[in-house]
Amino acid sequence: MLVGVVGGGQLARMMAPEFQKLGIEARVLVEESGSSADQVYGDVIVGSCDDMQKLESLASDLDVLTFEHEHVPNEQISALERAKVVVYPCSSALIYAQDKLKMRKKLMQMNIPSPQFSVVNDFSGIIEFAENIKSDKVVLKAATGGYDGKGVYVFDIRRGADELPEWVLRGTELLVEECIDFSRELCALVVRSNAGELVHYDVVETIQRGGVCKTVIAPAPNLKQGAVDFQELAQTMACSIAQELEVVGVLAVEMFQRGDELLVNELAMRPHNSGHWTISGAVTSQFENHIRAVCGLALGSTARTSKWTVMENILGQEGTNLGNALPSALEIDSRAKVNLYGKSACSGRKLGHVNISGEDLSELLSVSGRISSVLEGKK
Ligand code: ADP
């Protein structure tokens, strides 16, 4: 069996050992030679993910094509499908992870609670929306192309049009959303195979810094609050989205908890940062289950192997030198598993993560925080 993966980042890199273990051959299309995934695959094509010729070379003789990101133009995926390439998730599902406006409309149609939203073309549209929802604070989002908080901007309309960032109202469709005053962010990760089998991991809490995920706690603490079972609520929503959209592979559903309700923020149809804990904290990792799903194999158990697992991202900053910091970081706690992505350090970039599992959550948070600080080069 030969699987093609579009993307040269850490998600494709972390699929590599799972391909090896299952004896499945893989070919990747990476944007740059020397990238995170390029370092670990033998069969590599270097090129842009919107270059049709490169996509066709990647697709030649494949059994299935999948992705580590959502940036391949949807028309090009459809063209591959018309040429009988098997693509999972397919273009008709992936569109809802590529276009936040289409996603919002679809969720509304499905009666899945989400932030109120509108599409605007100018500043007066932003003001009108803010007046309608009776709030000065709104969230502006590029409908397409954003990631890791890029393309998301919390805006107070009292600051006026001159304070809008460069990318807003510059051609791309602009989504304006109600700014949710959430108590925390949760993520439900489910995996659906091309045979329709559906499994789910425990719901996790994600903590962001500057719009970028920093910490994940698996499972999210206090999922049962009074009469509300947030785990059940989140998983039911995620499973119905996976089924309705016929997603094949991993589906991550990011949500806001506000009072007793959960509102869906975002969908991702690929292994997701909120699922890195599964590499050491679950029987089957999200990367293995994504591969099993797109290859039509039975899915593996998603059961946790520890009471708690904490995942802490290592985010680059001024002074980060992973090579120098690694020896001290590994001395901190022998239970910790450090996973570095082979990327050069630059500010805010995800360079790796640390997973640690055990019984005492506050201790795990403190240890993972210390290890990531040492690796990031903080004093
Ligand atoms: P990206 O696609 O860049 O990951 P998201 O839509 O997931 O963008 O937004 C990134 C982060 O911004 C979220 O995790 C959340 O912390 C914040 N955010 C996004 N939308 C809203 C909203 N409507 N209300 C409040 N915070 C939001």
Side-chain angles (χ1 to χ4, degrees), residues 100 141 147-149 152 177-178 180 185 254 265-266:
K100 291 181 202 275
K141 291 186 178 181
Y147 66 99
D148 279 352
V152 174
E177 283 183 5
E178 158 191 25
I180 304 296
E185 293 186 72
E254 296 176 30
N265 174 38
E266 173 78 329

